[in-house]
Amino acid sequence: MSLILAEEMGVNCKITAAPALERPRDITGILVNLKPGDVLFI
């Protein structure tokens, strides 16, 4: 669903799993690399 949404919006989609986000710096690294409008699916 997130891939379809991102495609329709013309933006990128970053997908990650919650267990991969053990420390606050894990999510920070992902958020810093997102561009305006990008979709983050956890």
Side-chain angles (χ1 to χ4, degrees), residues 13-34:
C13 180
K14 174 69 177 167
I15 300 173
T16 188
L21 305 173
E22 295 178 359
R23 295 174 297 276
R25 68 175 179 237
D26 296 336
I27 188 84
T28 302
I30 294 171
L31 293 175
V32 167
N33 292 318
L34 290 177

Side-chain angles (χ1 to χ4, degrees), residues 3-19:
L3 292 173
I4 294 170
L5 178 64
E7 181 68 29
E8 289 296 317
M9 292 173 55
V11 297
N12 293 319
C13 180
K14 174 69 177 167
I15 300 173
T16 188

